[in-house]
Amino acid sequence: MSSVSNTGTDKEWPLWEVFVRSKAGLDHKHCGSLHAADAKMAIQMAREVYTRRQEGTSIWVVLSNQIVASDPGEKGMYFDPMEDKVYRHPTFYELPDAINHM
Amino acid sequence: MSQASVQVGSSPQVQYLLRIGDSCLILAQRLGEWCGHAPILEEDLALANMALDLLGQARALLTHAARLDGQGHDEDQLAFLREERQYLNPVLMELPRGDFAFTQVRNFAVATWLLLLWRRLQSSTDPDVAAIAAKAVKESAYHQQHAADWLVRLGDGTAESTARMVEALAQLWPLFNELFDADAVDAAAVVQGLGPSWAELEPEWTAHLNEVLADAGLAHPKASAYVSAGRRGVHSEHMGHLLAEMQYLQRAYPGGKW
């Protein structure tokens, strides 16, 4: 595994965000963050801290500074218009039982 | 007031299993000493996790050895009421934890040795041993990888970390011999199909170590002819202190339920 470039100072290990998919889960969920020197160490440490080594678990780590977040100040503009417009939501269909996990 | 000690029988079968179980137990005790003292929080958890794995392996083997011994002892009595001379772990496991480099070199050596041992024990003629091995083999594989990464990081790190690795290797090197010193107990285990002679593990163990040392840019220390004899109950001066601390409560309050 190649090491991701360390963007912090030499003394500070960079912060990583950890995403874990549990055995029966469908998607990776953000479960926390940790400091590690490189990606390989981040994976190992995430396993120690967040998974208790359950088999069938998948872990993603990503440098925190690689994540771009939406601006909380613009929450209204981004999300509010959906709230009172039920016709925008596909909630009027009866799903067949065969379709799981929607 | 103190609790009387217990003794185990001298059957090679029991001795063979205790040598492995005691190795796991004593290294677990040493790793437990790191709790709250590791260089980083995450490694603190990693060392504790590995100590717990080893303790679990020790419990399974000691319970099984006690049953085979047939004197009605249990895992707690074997752990807390045996004296130093009745403990059969190689001296390697009982040495004080030292610095972080020392701990990781020892962890790598022991994890690799256990991994090779568990792999073979999975086909032991003793179904209990085979089952214990099947569970433990995955744990040791992780321990080995975790320690190997640290060996490379530290060996190929700063001048300080490299120097500490060289020092740790020099201190530990002579103690590795005992891991592969075959004797009558091994021979009996082979005949019974209980498990391999430890000597059989050496070439593969050495290959693993050489690979990691090469990655870490570290040289072998000089070979040593010294062979410690912890497996026959002859321990270093550190063992008595370790047991005094580990066994204190059970000795002081005999038969206490916990």
Side-chain angles (χ1 to χ4, degrees):
Chain A
M1 200 180 297
S2 64
S3 59
V4 177
S5 65
N6 183 341
T7 50
T9 67
D10 284 350
K11 306 249 183 224
E12 278 291 327
W13 286 350
L15 191 66
W16 299 76
E17 301 301 324
V18 180
F19 301 80
V20 172
R21 180 163 59 77
S22 63
K23 196 171 175 178
L26 292 163
D27 44 16
H28 287 74
K29 290 196 164 48
H30 182 241
C31 58
S33 53
L34 51 78
H35 289 275
D38 60 30
K40 187 176 184 181
M41 186 193 278
I43 289 274
Q44 281 202 11
M45 296 312 182
R47 178 256 201 191
E48 301 290 352
V49 178
Y50 293 114
T51 71
R52 312 301 302 173
R53 279 175 280 171
Q54 292 171 54
E55 283 163 300
T57 297
S58 163
I59 304 173
W60 290 348
V61 293
V62 60
L63 277 169
S64 295
N65 63 16
Q66 295 293 313
I67 291 178
V68 181
S70 60
D71 181 352
E74 294 179 352
K75 191 171 161 236
M77 178 185 85
Y78 268 82
F79 306 114
D80 275 358
M82 324 306 178
E83 271 182 6
D84 53 358
K85 297 173 187 164
V86 289
Y87 55 86
R88 293 180 66 104
H89 302 290
T91 54
F92 303 104
Y93 304 98
E94 294 262 337
L95 287 177
D97 288 342
I99 301 177
N100 293 317
H101 311 310
M102 270 192 73
Chain B
M1 175 167 156
S2 77
Q3 174 83 316
S5 298
V6 300
Q7 299 226 328
V8 287
S10 56
S11 96
Q13 197 181 8
V14 171
Q15 301 240 321
Y16 183 85
L17 295 178
L18 282 180
R19 286 174 174 187
I20 305 167
D22 289 350
S23 296
C24 298
L25 176 62
I26 298 303
L27 187 58
Q29 175 77 6
R30 285 303 187 202
L31 290 182
E33 293 172 2
W34 274 102
C35 195
H37 297 277
I40 52 166
L41 173 69
E42 290 83 358
E43 184 63 22
D44 211 76
L45 293 174
L47 289 171
N49 274 338
M50 290 188 275
L52 288 170
D53 287 340
L54 287 166
L55 190 63
Q57 295 167 13
R59 291 187 60 184
L61 280 176
L62 260 54
T63 298
H64 187 51
R67 209 159 41 218
L68 290 176
D69 196 38
Q71 298 187 60
H73 297 136
D74 63 16
E75 52 176 327
D76 283 337
Q77 289 169 321
L78 289 196
F80 294 124
L81 297 176
R82 266 184 303 155
E83 286 174 9
E84 183 179 333
R85 290 301 297 261
Q86 286 271 305
Y87 259 90
L88 303 180
N89 55 288
V91 169
L92 175 64
M93 288 68 171
E94 75 209 32
L95 297 180
R97 67 179 162 99
D99 63 9
F100 191 64
F102 185 93
T103 282
Q104 294 298 345
V105 172
R106 172 164 62 185
N107 279 4
F108 180 80
V110 175
T112 305
W113 169 74
L114 279 174
L115 177 64
L116 300 176
L117 196 52
W118 294 132
R119 277 191 192 147
R120 286 162 176 78
L121 288 173
Q122 287 180 97
S123 48
S124 171
T125 51
D126 181 332
D128 287 321
V129 173
I132 293 167
K135 184 162 174 287
V137 73
K138 288 177 273 183
E139 296 171 345
S140 292
Y142 179 78
H143 298 182
Q144 185 199 34
Q145 197 209 321
H146 186 88
D149 287 347
W150 276 115
L151 259 55
V152 174
R153 263 174 220 290
L154 296 172
D156 192 21
T158 64
E160 166 88 21
S161 73
T162 306
R164 284 176 181 246
M165 284 294 293
V166 169
E167 175 63 22
L169 276 169
Q171 283 184 36
L172 286 163
W173 204 259
L175 279 308
F176 293 156
N177 291 336
E178 189 182 355
L179 297 181
F180 310 110
D181 182 36
D183 66 5
V185 171
D186 292 85
V190 173
V191 170
Q192 289 181 338
L194 178 62
S197 167
W198 291 10
E200 182 195 313
L201 311 173
E202 185 166 25
E204 220 178 319
W205 182 90
T206 305
H208 279 282
L209 185 67
N210 286 347
E211 194 183 324
V212 171
L213 288 187
D215 280 352
L218 294 164
H220 283 201
K222 281 206 185 82
S224 163
Y226 173 71
V227 182
S228 46
R231 307 186 307 164
R232 290 189 283 280
V234 184
H235 292 281
S236 69
E237 67 272 29
H238 306 293
M239 189 66 177
H241 294 284
L242 182 151
L243 291 180
E245 188 176 344
M246 194 175 94
Q247 299 183 337
Y248 166 75
L249 201 66
Q250 187 55 231
R251 298 276 188 184
Y253 299 95
K257 296 265 184 292
W258 61 290

